[in-house]
Amino acid sequence: ATITTQILRGAHVAMVLFLGFLVFPPSRKKVMSIAWYDVLLACIGAGTIVYMLLDFDAFIYRAVTPDPWDLICGITLIVLILEATRRSTGWVMPIVVILFLIYAYIGPELPAPWTHRGYSIKRIVGHMYMTLEGIFGVPIDVSSTFIILFTIYGAILQYSGAGKFFIDFSFRLMGGKPSSAGRTVTMASFLLGGPSGSGVATTVTLGSVAYPMLQRAGYDKESAGGLLSAGGIGAIISPPVLGAAAFLIAEILKVSYLQVIKMALVPTILYYWSIFLMVEFDAKRFG
């Protein structure tokens, strides 16, 4: 049976929000441990989604005039998403979202040309929480249907030893030169980054295997880290998976994903070719 849109998107947000509070501690300085309040926040976040899905047909018709419980659950979900975003990515994104929410609320009090008619708390919560256009809009649709599949695939590559395979394969292709260590990392980044689509996963996976090789080849910590990071971040523009933005591009522009892959092919080749050239120049310059 086909899962309806609201259930799929809601369940996806509930799952990610629940795991977010369990995986990311409230402070970067704090040692990773799951406190009782993390579990409580995770359960509350999932509970707001369950409330939404209990009777979604009646729920979505109240989007213009939400009742008190709708407001409580909606505000709670927005706050929890902001907190989960702060834990996972830092303060920049939550601050941007908060500024836009304030802008929507205080529109009539702003000077021209920034003024607008303004939106009440009910309208903001109704749009963000009770429709498929706010929190549960196109990005969540793409994430719940496409990105999650490749995220799982990337995790399988990361923990199955694929990184070591790509290193060994690349070393066989690129060995025998003074710059072979740098060439190997670049080639392995390209081979692993394309299927994984994650810059972080590619860098971490290759770094654990390739850093000792770079060290033996004479790379200092900064140069080795820079090379691994540059190669890994190329995963987000490397076909066939690319980063999450590729799915959004295909969805918003209404073009096929194959067209996005074709458009990304040339910049990907140029990007990794430039890293190859830098490796060669550095090998000649530093010996």
Side-chain angles (χ1 to χ4, degrees):
T2 303
I3 300 176
T4 56
T5 302
Q6 64 270 19
I7 293 177
L8 177 62
R9 297 186 192 181
H12 182 71
V13 171
M15 178 186 67
V16 173
L17 193 59
F18 187 88
L19 292 175
F21 283 108
L22 300 184
V23 171
F24 296 100
S27 172
R28 298 291 176 90
K29 298 178 181 178
K30 186 177 180 181
V31 179
M32 178 58 199
S33 62
I34 300 176
W36 64 269
Y37 50 82
D38 293 326
V39 178
L40 178 62
L41 292 175
C43 292
I44 292 174
T48 60
I49 304 297
V50 172
Y51 170 81
M52 178 188 79
L53 297 177
L54 285 176
D55 188 7
F56 188 79
D57 291 335
F59 178 82
I60 199 168
Y61 279 116
R62 298 196 304 268
V64 181
T65 56
D67 63 30
W69 275 109
D70 297 336
L71 288 175
I72 292 172
C73 290
I75 293 172
T76 301
L77 180 63
I78 292 171
V79 171
L80 290 178
I81 287 177
L82 289 173
E83 169 60 11
T85 305
R86 183 197 67 81
R87 291 187 179 201
S88 57
T89 66
W91 278 104
V92 175
M93 186 65 72
I95 289 174
V96 171
V97 173
I98 290 170
L99 289 176
F100 273 103
L101 290 175
I102 293 173
Y103 175 72
Y105 181 70
I106 65 171
E109 302 173 18
L110 295 173
W114 308 106
T115 185
H116 60 85
R117 66 177 184 174
Y119 295 89
S120 65
I121 295 294
K122 285 188 175 182
R123 287 294 302 274
I124 293 173
V125 172
H127 181 80
M128 295 294 293
Y129 174 55
M130 303 179 70
T131 69
L132 295 178
E133 298 176 0
I135 293 172
F136 307 99
V138 172
I140 290 298
D141 179 33
V142 175
S143 178
S144 61
T145 51
F146 295 110
I147 296 175
I148 188 65
L149 301 177
F150 291 103
T151 302
I152 295 171
Y153 177 54
I156 292 173
L157 288 178
Q158 181 178 353
Y159 290 101
S160 64
K164 188 175 185 308
F165 165 76
F166 285 121
I167 282 284
D168 294 340
F169 179 72
S170 301
F171 195 73
R172 294 292 296 175
L173 290 178
M174 301 294 173
K177 297 274 187 178
S179 57
S180 60
R183 286 180 171 190
T184 298
V185 169
T186 306
M187 176 62 73
S189 299
F190 173 72
L191 292 174
L192 181 59
S196 76
S198 170
V200 175
T202 303
T203 304
V204 171
T205 302
L206 293 180
S208 59
V209 181
Y211 177 70
M213 178 182 66
L214 291 173
Q215 203 172 26
R216 289 194 300 271
Y219 282 80
D220 56 67
K221 292 180 180 179
E222 289 76 15
S223 299
L227 179 59
L228 287 165
S229 300
I233 202 65
I236 64 174
I237 63 168
S238 299
V241 177
L242 296 92
F247 299 99
L248 294 176
I249 291 170
E251 180 71 20
I252 293 172
L253 298 184
K254 303 302 179 184
V255 299
S256 70
Y257 188 63
L258 184 59
Q259 285 181 273
V260 179
I261 290 177
K262 289 179 181 178
M263 289 187 284
L265 190 60
V266 171
T268 300
I269 293 172
L270 292 176
Y271 178 78
Y272 281 103
W273 176 244
S274 69
I275 298 178
F276 264 111
L277 292 178
M278 285 186 281
V279 167
E280 293 294 331
F281 294 153
D282 283 347
K284 287 180 171 57
R285 185 169 56 162
F286 299 115

